[in-house]
Amino acid sequence: MTGTMLSINQISKSYGPIRALNGVSFDVPQGSVFGVLGPNGSGKTTLLGILLDVLNADAGSYSWLGGAAPADARRQIGSLLETPNFYHYLSAMDNLNITAAIKQRGKDDRERVLKLVGLYERKDSKFQTYSLGMKQRLALAAALLGEPKILVLDEPTNGLDPAGIAEIRELIKTLNQQGMTVIMASHLLDEVEKVCTHVAILKKGDLLLSGKVDEVLRSEDQVEVNAEDQNRLKEIVEGMPLLKSIHSSSNGLLLSFTEKMATGRINEYCMQHGVTLSHLVLKKKSLESKFMELTNF
Amino acid sequence: MKNLLAIEWLKIKSYKTFWILAGFFALLLPLWNYGISNGVMKIGGGNINLISQAYSFAYVWQNIGFWTSIFVAFISILTIIITTNEYQFRTNRQNVIDGWTRLDFYHGKWQIVLLLSLLTTLYVFIVGVGFGLAYGSTSGFPGKIEYLFYIWVLSLNYYSFSLLLAILFKRSGITIGIFFLYCMIIEAIVSKFVNWRLDTKAGNFMPLQCSDELLPFPILDIIKAMAKMQDTINPNYYVGASFVWITLYYFIGRKKLMASDCKFAV
């Protein structure tokens, strides 16, 4: 990872009284699969719209490819935003002809990308005769036309069947291995965890955190403990080293630590301080609950 | 960017509606004029038909020019449809996402409008030469050729006005409705009212009216010539007014496009 493909600096955008983005900043390193993660309405699509100049930001700036002119940069970006947008009365080949002309590249590449997405047999049919799935595949073909440096995908697996989802994820990984940087918005934590190397988490327009997936979304263990004298237990565990937080739960106290902590050590610590544990359970905290925690508080 | 027009051409060259509307214009203009010249419509008594008189050179341009000013509606609708299509298909967004600036998108459409107005003028010229030769000798050629220039001004005014409406209203049905409502009813009433109320010719300078004034109903011209009436306003003022309006359309449309998010018709 040598360079920065995209740098976002303090972007804000409001729709009337609603703040869609609130001073969002992050960098996308070259060669990464960068997930923009957030629940519905968190500002993901607005952010991608601003980065591709179909929406105007109220404040802030961004630069693609280390400061290339935005339109020049967009010619080197393959994008798949929301619905497929094509001329209904033109065939796949004619539509891609326009895409290629605007991108100033890739006219000879049309047949390859249509084969890649499995639309080659229907290349001369008009767009209006396509099924929804075929329209999406044409949009993907257009995004891949001319082998762009960067791929921007908004909810790429939305509405696809399980086979289609697996296919897209595999394709993203393959393209990334070939050196393409991928930026994708998703509300599926599972998807980001499986596909992405980096992530930025948005909630109601605020950037909660961003970084490498294995650091940001590291699964965290919690230990649930209880004793007859719960107040005394709480007093002593509060003094434990490496403790991150204590929450009350129905079965006692939920402890989380900044590092992995063996249950035996907790038991030992409590014994040394004169408390006998009546309950000691290691709880794997699911990524979903971590995501909910990140986006709900 | 030089290839804007080439890309606009890719968009419309296999669009059936484009060819149908252009075909209507191309067919109806000579057919209608042929009918008029053969006395389908008659003004005057006995064997005299005033409006069929003017198909030889010198007068052919203003005669065909007047009818052109009506048939340009086909190309205006065409302009509206190819522009609102972009909003309906959301290809206005896609073009920008793929690497056009918003100005590229806008200038592509303006170049089409400019091209259509030039083609209209060229076509009227060809038709005019045909009628001129059929109804007279070449001796009068080119005659009052300045009317050909007025035809270009008028068609550019109508098409760019249509483009502006399409950008403001985004949906084809509404935009075409507003176009006809404006040019057939609103402007007619307001301009007459202003002229009557203020007792000036100010109403003649409304957006489309100023170009219409360049190509009046031919019989009026002939009657005025007979009655030795002089038009009080030099046509150059109408030409100037037309270009002021066209420039204004350009900047209003540009402001609208640059300031707002690339929205689309639902």
Side-chain angles (χ1 to χ4, degrees):
Chain A
M1 300 198 184
T2 47
T4 301
M5 298 307 260
L6 167 67
S7 186
I8 300 173
N9 185 24
Q10 292 294 320
I11 285 187
S12 296
K13 164 93 179 165
S14 299
Y15 296 109
I18 299 158
R19 272 188 98 72
L21 289 172
N22 206 354
V24 172
S25 307
F26 58 81
D27 287 348
V28 175
Q30 187 176 357
S32 60
V33 180
F34 198 101
V36 180
L37 180 64
N40 296 331
S42 57
K44 304 183 296 287
T45 300
T46 300
L47 181 64
L48 295 187
I50 289 169
L51 296 174
L52 296 169
D53 199 31
V54 289
L55 300 176
N56 289 332
D58 299 336
S61 61
Y62 60 89
S63 76
W64 288 102
L65 302 166
D72 290 337
R74 286 201 298 282
R75 292 194 187 102
Q76 305 181 47
I77 299 169
S79 309
L80 189 57
L81 289 194
E82 305 160 327
T83 53
N85 307 324
F86 290 101
Y87 297 91
H88 291 196
Y89 50 85
L90 294 179
S91 68
M93 286 295 271
D94 285 344
N95 267 303
L96 290 183
N97 216 357
I98 294 171
T99 311
I102 292 176
K103 287 194 175 299
Q104 299 171 5
R105 56 215 287 258
K107 192 180 170 181
D108 308 329
D109 200 28
R110 290 178 295 165
E111 302 200 340
R112 180 188 70 88
V113 292
L114 286 174
K115 280 177 186 157
L116 199 65
V117 299
L119 213 54
Y120 186 71
E121 273 66 42
R122 293 291 303 274
K123 70 185 165 74
D124 296 316
S125 307
K126 285 182 177 162
F127 179 74
Q128 61 200 8
T129 67
Y130 286 0
S131 70
L132 184 61
M134 292 166 77
K135 288 175 177 175
Q136 280 173 333
R137 277 185 277 161
L138 179 59
L140 187 62
L144 296 174
L145 195 70
E147 305 192 38
K149 286 182 184 160
I150 306 173
L151 204 55
V152 176
L153 308 167
D154 191 7
E155 307 275 2
T157 57
N158 221 0
L160 293 180
D161 55 27
I165 292 175
E167 210 176 304
I168 293 279
R169 287 181 183 166
E170 210 45 52
L171 182 66
I172 291 172
K173 282 182 182 166
T174 310
L175 293 170
N176 181 244
Q177 276 157 16
Q178 292 165 3
M180 205 180 283
T181 303
V182 181
I183 300 170
M184 57 183 275
S186 179
H187 64 275
L188 303 172
L189 178 73
D190 169 64
E191 178 163 272
V192 169
E193 196 207 354
K194 278 182 179 145
V195 179
C196 297
T197 59
H198 293 67
V199 66
I201 300 180
L202 288 179
K203 182 209 160 192
K204 288 184 179 161
D206 289 309
L207 180 71
L208 294 184
L209 39 89
S210 69
K212 291 185 176 172
V213 164
D214 50 11
E215 288 169 11
V216 172
L217 295 179
R218 189 177 51 190
S219 61
E220 199 175 71
D221 293 341
Q222 286 183 318
V223 180
E224 195 173 58
V225 290
N226 208 354
E228 285 190 11
D229 186 353
Q230 213 183 83
N231 292 333
R232 171 78 186 129
L233 174 66
K234 195 170 181 182
E235 272 169 36
I236 63 153
V237 293
E238 271 172 352
M240 270 190 81
L242 303 176
L243 184 81
K244 197 170 141 197
S245 67
I246 303 179
H247 293 287
S248 294
S249 75
S250 52
N251 290 325
L253 299 172
L254 265 180
L255 312 179
S256 40
F257 297 91
T258 53
E259 276 177 28
K260 212 163 173 62
M261 177 70 69
T263 45
R265 277 183 63 196
I266 298 168
N267 198 4
E268 197 182 305
Y269 179 87
C270 292
M271 292 288 267
Q272 280 166 8
H273 289 78
V275 174
T276 310
L277 293 175
S278 59
H279 177 76
L280 174 65
V281 179
L282 179 66
K283 287 197 153 181
K284 292 271 181 195
K285 190 176 181 185
S286 71
L287 281 173
E288 263 73 13
S289 62
K290 169 129 185 175
F291 181 56
M292 294 300 279
E293 183 184 282
L294 280 170
T295 54
N296 282 338
F297 294 103
Chain B
M1 226 163 70
K2 263 190 300 183
N3 66 348
L4 290 182
L5 197 57
I7 291 172
E8 290 296 323
W9 176 241
L10 288 178
K11 292 178 185 176
I12 55 177
K13 70 171 179 183
S14 26
Y15 185 36
K16 234 181 258 166
T17 309
F18 172 80
W19 292 109
I20 291 172
L21 284 168
F24 269 129
F25 175 79
L27 275 178
L28 285 176
L29 183 68
L31 278 181
W32 179 260
N33 280 289
Y34 180 76
I36 293 290
S37 67
N38 279 286
V40 170
M41 228 164 96
K42 199 173 167 189
I43 298 178
N47 286 330
I48 301 165
N49 186 353
L50 284 172
I51 56 170
S52 71
Q53 296 300 302
Y55 278 92
S56 56
F57 282 120
Y59 287 106
V60 66
W61 305 118
Q62 61 204 96
N63 211 341
I64 290 189
F66 170 73
W67 299 112
T68 304
S69 75
I70 290 164
F71 288 116
V72 287
F74 285 109
I75 311 294
S76 296
I77 294 170
L78 177 68
T79 307
I80 290 170
I81 289 177
I82 61 176
T83 309
T84 51
N85 269 350
E86 304 270 7
Y87 290 98
Q88 192 201 329
F89 303 153
R90 299 187 184 196
T91 38
N92 63 323
R93 288 157 63 90
Q94 195 61 44
N95 289 169
V96 170
I97 288 170
D98 285 338
W100 265 2
T101 62
R102 296 177 188 200
L103 267 188
D104 286 337
F105 175 80
Y106 191 48
H107 288 162
K109 284 284 172 284
W110 267 89
Q111 287 181 22
I112 278 286
V113 159
L114 199 61
L115 180 71
L116 287 173
S117 69
L118 289 170
L119 289 177
T120 303
T121 312
L122 178 68
Y123 186 70
V124 172
F125 174 73
I126 293 167
V127 172
V129 167
F131 275 100
L133 291 177
Y135 289 90
S137 68
T138 50
S139 60
F141 185 80
K144 295 195 168 184
I145 197 79
E146 67 270 22
Y147 281 87
L148 202 61
F149 173 68
Y150 299 158
I151 287 164
W152 176 66
V153 173
L154 175 125
S155 49
L156 184 60
N157 189 351
Y158 269 76
Y159 305 162
S160 51
F161 180 74
S162 308
L163 174 60
L164 176 65
L165 289 188
I167 282 173
L168 293 180
F169 298 104
K170 298 186 173 74
R171 296 182 208 192
S172 58
I174 289 175
T175 310
I176 292 171
I178 287 174
F179 173 77
F180 280 114
L181 188 70
Y182 179 79
C183 69
M184 299 181 80
I185 298 173
I186 296 177
E187 195 176 76
I189 292 173
V190 173
S191 69
K192 301 283 179 302
F193 180 78
V194 167
N195 283 352
W196 166 74
R197 188 73 204 207
L198 300 178
D199 199 24
T200 65
K201 296 274 183 195
N204 292 0
F205 286 90
M206 289 185 67
L208 298 177
Q209 190 61 34
C210 62
S211 292
D212 286 334
E213 291 294 331
L214 290 168
L215 297 163
F217 192 57
I219 192 91
L220 288 179
D221 239 32
I222 296 171
I223 292 169
K224 277 176 191 165
M226 284 173 162
K228 298 210 161 65
M229 263 171 61
Q230 280 291 312
D231 226 340
T232 46
I233 295 177
N234 182 325
N236 288 339
Y237 289 115
Y238 290 128
V239 171
S242 300
F243 280 111
V244 168
W245 284 114
I246 291 165
T247 312
L248 213 59
Y249 308 152
Y250 172 83
F251 283 107
I252 293 170
R254 180 177 167 139
K255 190 157 189 286
K256 163 85 180 164
L257 214 62
M258 299 304 279
S260 62
D261 293 336
C262 285
K263 288 189 195 120
F264 37 81
V266 181

